[in-house]
Amino acid sequence: MSEHNHDTTGSSDRNDIVSSNHETSWNPDETVIASQGGPIADVIFDYCDVLLDWRPWRALEGLYPQGVIDMFFDSADEWGFDFIDRLLDSGVPPQDVLTEYARHHGPAVTWVLRMWLEHEERAIFGVLDGMDQLVDDLQSDGVRVWGLTNFTTEAVDIAHSRFGVFSRLLDTVVSSQERLLKPDPALYLRAIDRFKVDPQSTVFLDDNPRNVRGARVAGLRGVTFRSAAQARSVLGLS
């Protein structure tokens, strides 16, 4: 779901559930596409915070006081939302996630997670400004467009049913279906194989620098997404 820089390091229990990913050295602020590879033939988009305006806190707005919502999304909680988000995105069934969450937070707080799951569609807020037009312009230039997302099947289905930009993607690889998470290079390799793209002529856009690093390990021309205007610039769109 959320594509921010979740840290999967921590206790051995947590590493058993979501394994750590290989680290490589690079400059996370780099946005210039390498000259090698020639013209861009394909662009692969992350969903959350690239195409999709994803606001997970909205699922609980009006249901709980702000203090409870802040507690639920506390990034310092190693068994908090960031971690269970990755469990869901890796294909762990929601009931199993609820059971695991209850082990660490008890039944009362687990009810908050249950409410979040029941109202998740409220978090799928819209399309980020300028991205609908960017996809249209790429297609007009003959560039093929694809998706690669850490997300659940249910959330992807909601996004596709609500917003036309997602139906214009030729195909999407979804982490929960593949039982792999970005930035594991194996997930990018699976997308490369399924889409039949040449990595050297394919740009991958993601707002999370770690996910961009994973794409580069797999041979793609990874770019850290900042905005539609920045993406247009690095993709050579006027």
Side-chain angles (χ1 to χ4, degrees), residues 4 36 54-55 63 76 98-99 106 110 117 142 148 156 169 195 198 222 235:
H4 295 296
Q36 62 267 27
W54 165 249
R55 304 185 185 186
L63 300 177
L98 284 164
T99 299
T110 300
L117 290 167
L148 173 58
V156 167
L169 302 178
F195 301 159
D198 178 356
L235 292 171

Side-chain angles (χ1 to χ4, degrees), residues 92-202:
V92 178
Q95 188 55 53
D96 292 349
V97 172
L98 284 164
T99 299
E100 186 65 28
Y101 194 74
R103 286 180 54 219
H104 300 276
H105 294 285
V109 180
T110 300
W111 191 258
V112 180
L113 173 58
R114 189 180 297 275
M115 289 298 96
W116 187 90
L117 290 167
E118 290 186 7
H119 296 86
E120 180 187 4
E121 74 281 352
R122 296 164 67 181
I124 301 171
F125 189 70
V127 178
L128 284 186
D129 289 346
M131 294 307 291
D132 203 324
Q133 187 63 51
L134 185 150
V135 170
D136 277 351
D137 291 345
L138 286 172
Q139 290 182 311
S140 295
D141 286 350
V143 176
R144 300 187 300 176
V145 291
W146 313 86
L148 173 58
T149 180
N150 283 357
F151 227 177
T152 64
T153 301
E154 295 78 9
V156 167
D157 287 345
I158 292 170
H160 280 243
S161 68
R162 288 186 181 176
F163 310 115
V165 67
F166 295 100
S167 65
R168 298 201 293 279
L169 302 178
L170 295 173
D171 195 3
T172 296
V173 167
V174 182
S175 63
S176 60
Q177 296 173 359
E178 305 299 326
R179 301 299 180 94
L180 289 169
L181 285 171
K182 294 178 293 181
D184 188 336
L187 185 60
Y188 306 91
L189 293 173
R190 192 164 294 182
I192 289 167
D193 181 66
R194 184 157 127 189
F195 301 159
K196 307 299 182 190
V197 299
D198 178 356
Q200 291 193 350
S201 61
T202 302

